[in-house]
Amino acid sequence: MDILLNIVAFILGRCIYINNLKPLTLRYNYKIRRQQVWTLIFTIIAIAAIIFEYSLISIPLLLKQLVLSILIYALIEFILSKLNPKSYIVCAIFRIGFELLISYLFGNCITASLIAGIICTNSPLGVVFPKFQWHPLKRAKALDLQALIDKTISEGKQVVTIPKGRYEIKGFIQINQSNFTLQGETDEQGEPLTELICTNSTVNGKCNPWISPFFITTGEHIQPSNIFWGLDFNKKQNIRMESSSLSDPGSDGNILTPSFATTITEDAKTGTTILHVEDSNKVGKYILLGMYNTTRDGNLIKDILGVNELRKEWIVANRAGNEEAPSFQWLVQVKQIIDANTIELAVPLPRDCSIIYTPKIFNAEMLENIVIKNLKLESKWNGLFRHHGFPLYYSVSQSQEMDYGWNAINMKRVVNGKIENIIIKNFTNPLYIMDSLNCIAEHITIKGYDGHQGIKLYSHSCNNLVKDIHFLSHFADMMGGEGNAYCNTFEDIEYCNPSFKPVDFDFHGFTEGPMSPPAYNSFCNIKGFRYVKGAGAISHLPSCARGNTWRQIKWEGEKKGLSNRFIALNYRKRSFAEKYISALGFTIVKMLKEKKVSVKFFSNTFTGKIKDIQALSIPQEKHQEFFPDNFIYN
């Protein structure tokens, strides 16, 4: 009987998610939903059970059992995180086994079991299988999908239709052929009946792990994973960018570069589609239009960012002038070659193209018309996620797996692609659109475990449409862009906020040194987001450039009384505890990276970081200055 009571108490504790109690403080503008009401009921039951146990057992004995039990459960979660099991059953047996051990050692200990369950659900260090999810008993079939795709292409066919059912896929799937469709079957209501299961992590952590292979990746033969593509500095210096993240190996700045086509010879105003060039003979169908900084103080990057001066901590932005960065890089289609010196673009220029910035045209090799539709994508990831890990807890490989190892779809180097009617479950990075043009991602549901980046438009992703998206889980960086992501539209999107974790529109600044942050993007009819967030390494700030707009946004989750919707995380004011914990984490990572262990190094690094945090602390009411010429129309 004691054992049964303890197990029931543990399960009850697992049902209490602390964030679900936030709305009861009335400090946030959340709407209370059914899940929060149930959490309140479970919490009241738990409190009643603890009071009842206090009436039967002496408090000193109860406290002793409580402390010992919590220590044991902390050890359980630590061991589980190191074992990193991929089976929910194995994990459940492990936890129940320790619950039986507690019962054997202490007898009936309801309070300890309750708190152990709460720890298991709310641990700040991360939990394996944090949410219980029912997995169908239907067995999955093994399928060599890559071989099927390759065979179909070799036969000159353009469509692979996977029959309804569950299929386990090893490795990751490449689509390297234009005019190709990968699709599943649907029921009469259009719901996907074909489920593909990713069985293993695809992380490649040696170089640029944040663009590790995805479960389904396009254009891999043009642009392999773990390398960026675009225009390079005119006067590139040998600079390696290092990060304060333990899982980040840094970047040597090497990128793939397109072939030069011609030089633009006359100014072109915003809105025009006509460009005058030196020679149109070598201009291809798809181009990168690049403009360069031509003064040492970075005349172009200042104009792109909408600032008069570059802050000293913006290291990448400060490189633009000295190294003559092509800060403006726009991926666009050529509608027609008019004559030997004139071309017409398919869409108007988003900004003035001045010969002051020595504008040039480069040809872009692209795939066309790739469609991925009518599929359920699921992974065997165990949900162990804490953003960038924790240097005292996770190894480098674990941190990289959490942040970059379970990725669903990367639509890369594609024009007129489509991702439609997809359900994505249990991926830490569900969807990237990278270096792609005129692609559509619509009617997509994202659910399962919380993760890293929900939907991200990366590098030169231009004029894409993301619409009709339903988020049923939380992501640290929910939706936005990084690099030269221009003129994209996000509309009809809802975050259902199942566990009262706030989410933000996310911008991450420069992708690589020669590039610049996202600009001219539009967000419309979106529900459940809190702020427009600037994030990423402080060296790669500011997080977004000019011309981004927000219309018809139903904001949710901010503390009452705050009116400013912009927040730059690197400049937020931190509490005493946050400041010192952040400085401690930074110091530990730096000691591990530089392999320097001494009291002097620790002291200098720690105190230096504290001073940096204090110097960069700016009240949130002033954060809009980091988002010049970005507008919210509500």
Side-chain angles (χ1 to χ4, degrees):
M1 186 64 180
D2 289 347
I3 293 175
L4 181 60
L5 282 174
N6 286 353
I7 291 175
V8 170
F10 177 77
I11 294 172
L12 178 61
R14 286 278 278 153
C15 295
I16 299 173
Y17 196 86
I18 300 300
N19 275 357
N20 280 334
L21 301 175
K22 278 185 177 181
L24 302 176
T25 66
L26 303 179
R27 297 174 61 209
Y28 302 86
N29 70 342
Y30 289 127
K31 287 185 179 179
I32 296 177
R33 299 181 176 91
R34 184 181 302 172
Q35 183 172 334
Q36 287 67 51
V37 173
W38 277 112
T39 299
L40 177 60
I41 293 172
F42 292 146
T43 303
I44 292 172
I45 294 172
I47 292 172
I50 292 172
I51 293 173
F52 175 74
E53 189 167 44
Y54 272 171
S55 68
L56 298 178
I57 303 175
S58 66
I59 291 180
L61 176 61
L62 191 65
L63 290 176
K64 179 182 177 181
Q65 292 179 349
L66 181 61
V67 170
L68 289 173
S69 299
I70 289 174
L71 289 175
I72 290 174
Y73 276 109
L75 178 63
I76 293 172
E77 296 307 325
F78 179 81
I79 293 172
L80 276 174
S81 71
K82 295 305 177 187
L83 294 175
N84 209 11
K86 297 298 184 290
S87 167
Y88 184 88
I89 300 300
V90 170
C91 191
I93 291 172
F94 195 87
R95 285 174 173 148
I96 291 173
F98 271 88
E99 182 62 48
L100 295 175
L101 176 62
I102 293 290
S103 300
Y104 176 77
L105 292 175
F106 304 129
N108 188 13
C109 192
I110 294 174
T111 303
S113 297
L114 275 168
I115 293 180
I118 293 171
I119 290 172
C120 189
T121 297
N122 299 275
S123 172
L125 297 177
V127 174
V128 180
F129 296 105
K131 302 176 183 178
F132 174 77
Q133 298 183 24
W134 172 253
H135 294 273
L137 296 177
K138 292 186 297 182
R139 295 187 63 182
K141 305 173 185 176
L143 174 65
D144 191 343
L145 183 53
Q146 188 64 58
L148 178 59
I149 291 172
D150 294 341
K151 181 176 182 292
T152 301
I153 292 173
S154 68
E155 293 174 349
K157 300 176 183 177
Q158 298 179 329
V159 179
V160 167
T161 301
I162 308 170
K164 65 180 180 180
R166 287 166 52 86
Y167 302 90
E168 289 192 349
I169 313 293
K170 292 183 178 180
F172 68 102
I173 304 159
Q174 298 183 30
I175 301 176
N176 295 320
Q177 178 70 33
S178 292
N179 305 308
F180 186 85
T181 297
L182 175 65
Q183 64 183 12
E185 291 187 353
T186 63
D187 61 17
E188 293 179 354
Q189 288 72 43
E191 289 295 308
L193 297 175
T194 302
E195 184 171 357
L196 305 182
I197 303 170
C198 176
T199 60
N200 59 281
S201 166
T202 59
V203 69
N204 183 346
K206 295 180 180 179
C207 178
N208 298 331
W210 40 91
I211 45 174
S212 290
F214 277 57
F215 185 35
I216 302 177
T217 305
T218 66
E220 194 75 2
H221 67 305
I222 304 174
Q223 182 181 334
S225 296
N226 296 94
I227 191 166
F228 287 104
W229 169 79
L231 307 182
D232 212 342
F233 295 104
N234 272 341
K235 298 180 178 179
K236 185 175 182 179
Q237 298 176 7
N238 186 20
I239 297 175
R240 183 177 181 85
M241 298 300 297
E242 294 288 350
S243 168
S244 59
S245 170
L246 187 65
S247 60
D248 182 351
S251 172
D252 58 11
N254 288 328
I255 60 176
L256 297 173
T257 55
S259 60
F260 172 74
T262 190
T263 299
I264 296 173
T265 56
E266 295 183 20
D267 290 348
K269 292 293 184 180
T270 304
T272 187
T273 58
I274 303 299
L275 295 179
H276 298 282
V277 298
E278 189 174 87
D279 182 4
S280 64
N281 288 329
K282 293 183 180 179
V283 176
K285 187 176 181 180
Y286 305 110
I287 62 172
L288 261 184
L289 192 163
M291 290 192 282
Y292 293 78
N293 291 269
T294 53
T295 64
R296 291 183 64 84
D297 64 339
N299 53 353
L300 177 57
I301 193 62
K302 287 181 180 178
D303 184 62
I304 288 173
L305 299 177
V307 299
N308 294 320
E309 297 295 332
L310 302 174
R311 295 176 65 105
K312 65 178 182 179
E313 65 267 18
W314 299 348
I315 295 173
V316 175
N318 279 286
R319 294 177 62 184
N322 288 333
E323 299 179 55
E324 297 183 5
S327 298
F328 182 82
Q329 303 183 32
W330 182 40
L331 181 62
V332 64
Q333 181 176 346
V334 175
K335 183 177 181 179
Q336 64 173 326
I337 306 295
I338 296 176
D339 58 38
N341 302 109
T342 313
I343 65 173
E344 182 181 4
L345 304 178
V347 294
L349 278 168
R351 58 157 292 143
D352 289 351
C353 178
S354 172
I355 59 173
I356 293 174
Y357 303 124
T358 60
K360 299 178 182 179
I361 289 174
F362 298 78
N363 288 326
E365 182 183 359
M366 306 292 289
L367 295 173
E368 297 179 318
N369 306 317
I370 293 178
V371 178
I372 303 168
K373 66 179 183 179
N374 303 336
L375 293 170
K376 293 181 181 179
L377 304 181
E378 187 173 349
S379 81
K380 288 194 173 181
W381 178 42
N382 61 20
L384 180 62
F385 179 78
R386 282 298 180 270
H387 193 197
H388 294 317
F390 190 76
L392 293 177
Y393 192 74
Y394 299 120
S395 66
V396 171
S397 60
Q398 277 186 308
S399 296
Q400 290 182 342
E401 180 186 346
M402 283 189 296
D403 280 318
Y404 316 116
W406 297 91
N407 314 313
I409 300 176
N410 187 0
M411 184 68 82
K412 181 176 64 180
R413 297 295 289 274
V414 175
V415 179
N416 299 326
K418 195 165 188 180
I419 305 166
E420 180 183 19
N421 195 26
I422 303 289
I423 298 172
I424 302 175
K425 182 180 179 181
N426 292 347
F427 286 90
T428 189
N429 297 297
L431 176 60
Y432 279 13
I433 299 176
M434 184 174 182
D435 296 305
S436 289
L437 174 67
N438 295 342
C439 292
I440 298 174
E442 65 177 346
H443 193 37
I444 296 172
T445 298
I446 298 172
K447 61 183 182 179
Y449 297 131
D450 297 346
H452 190 182
Q453 298 173 127
I455 295 180
K456 186 167 189 173
L457 270 61
Y458 222 147
S459 201
H460 314 83
S461 284
C462 300
N463 294 89
N464 300 290
L465 173 63
V466 178
K467 66 176 295 187
D468 189 18
I469 310 295
H470 299 273
F471 287 101
L472 303 179
S473 51
H474 175 274
F475 293 89
D477 303 322
M478 196 68 176
M479 182 177 72
E482 180 175 346
N484 298 87
Y486 297 154
C487 308
N488 300 289
T489 299
F490 300 79
E491 65 182 27
D492 302 332
I493 296 167
E494 180 180 19
Y495 169 52
C496 294
N497 199 8
S499 56
F500 282 83
K501 289 182 178 180
V503 298
D504 309 303
F505 298 98
D506 178 79
F507 292 91
H508 259 56
F510 296 71
T511 295
E512 276 290 348
M515 303 177 192
S516 64
Y520 318 115
N521 299 291
S522 172
F523 300 82
C524 181
N525 191 26
I526 298 174
K527 300 176 182 178
F529 284 61
R530 177 182 58 169
Y531 299 130
V532 176
K533 179 184 76 178
I538 195 166
S539 60
H540 285 59
L541 296 185
S543 53
C544 66
R546 301 164 68 177
N548 302 292
T549 60
W550 290 262
R551 292 179 172 85
Q552 301 175 35
I553 309 299
K554 187 175 181 181
W555 305 92
E556 185 178 67
E558 82 283 2
K559 290 183 180 180
K560 290 184 177 179
L562 287 176
S563 58
N564 179 32
R565 298 292 178 181
F566 294 98
I567 181 170
L569 291 187
N570 297 88
Y571 296 99
R572 74 188 188 280
K573 297 194 75 172
R574 307 187 196 189
S575 66
F576 179 87
E578 286 178 322
K579 183 165 53 179
Y580 280 85
I581 290 173
S582 176
L584 178 61
F586 174 85
T587 303
I588 292 171
V589 170
K590 193 162 185 178
M591 291 175 69
L592 291 172
K593 277 199 163 188
E594 299 188 15
K595 299 179 180 179
K596 295 181 180 179
V597 181
S598 69
V599 174
K600 182 179 180 181
F601 183 82
F602 178 91
S603 176
N604 290 342
T605 305
F606 183 80
T607 55
K609 185 61 177 178
I610 291 290
K611 290 178 181 178
D612 288 343
I613 293 173
Q614 291 172 338
L616 296 175
S617 294
I618 297 173
Q620 189 177 334
E621 292 75 16
K622 297 182 179 181
H623 282 203
Q624 190 162 355
E625 69 185 62
F626 298 108
F627 302 83
D629 297 322
N630 287 265
F631 302 101
I632 296 173
Y633 299 100
N634 273 22

